[in-house]
Amino acid sequence: QVQLAESGGGSVQAGGSLRLSCAASSYTSDSRYMGWFRQAPGKEREPVAGIWLAGGTTSYAGSVQGRFTISRDRTRNTVYLQMDGLKIDDTGMYYCAAGTGWCANEIYSWGQGTKVTVSS
């Protein structure tokens, strides 16, 4: 089971950028997918971006399309989330995830979270 460690969260003004990093202990046969979920205050955890590791196919929530980009560095076992044009509604706790697919019930490893706060 892969172990995940996130970094890169912080506080930024609307329109700014952040780059989140997720370092994985290793890629395994079960770790076919890695991505990012977020949980806003009082809301359920939701997927925002993901990448299928074998082929590099990516997927994004509609609310972040065109603003967020997920990428990977195989040599470092690291997945990144570049977040541009941040909005106040992007505020929340961001969790790195590994599993077999996009849905939360397909995730078997979670990071502890990194907080993103966007203000005006």
Side-chain angles (χ1 to χ4, degrees):
Q1 189 172 1
V2 64
Q3 294 180 319
L4 308 173
E6 309 104 320
S7 63
S11 182
V12 299
Q13 293 182 325
S17 297
L18 284 173
R19 189 189 192 195
L20 307 184
S21 298
C22 175
S25 59
S26 65
Y27 295 125
T28 72
S29 61
D30 291 331
S31 299
R32 301 179 181 181
Y33 168 95
M34 292 185 67
W36 293 89
F37 288 68
R38 71 184 179 191
Q39 188 168 16
K43 302 294 184 180
E44 297 295 318
R45 190 175 300 185
E46 62 178 353
V48 296
I51 184 167
W52 279 261
L53 299 176
T57 302
T58 59
S59 187
Y60 299 92
S63 59
V64 307
Q65 287 180 163
R67 299 187 296 117
F68 291 11
T69 304
I70 188 169
S71 61
R72 62 186 171 181
D73 184 342
R74 291 179 175 179
T75 65
R76 301 182 184 275
N77 292 333
T78 300
V79 172
Y80 304 95
L81 184 66
Q82 179 67 42
M83 305 187 293
D84 298 319
L86 284 162
K87 303 176 180 179
I88 293 175
D89 287 348
D90 294 320
T91 293
M93 188 72 72
Y94 283 69
Y95 298 90
C96 186
T100 58
W102 172 261
C103 299
N105 61 10
E106 297 177 284
I107 300 299
Y108 54 73
S109 294
W110 295 92
Q112 292 187 341
T114 184
K115 188 176 182 179
V116 172
T117 302
V118 185
S119 64
S120 62

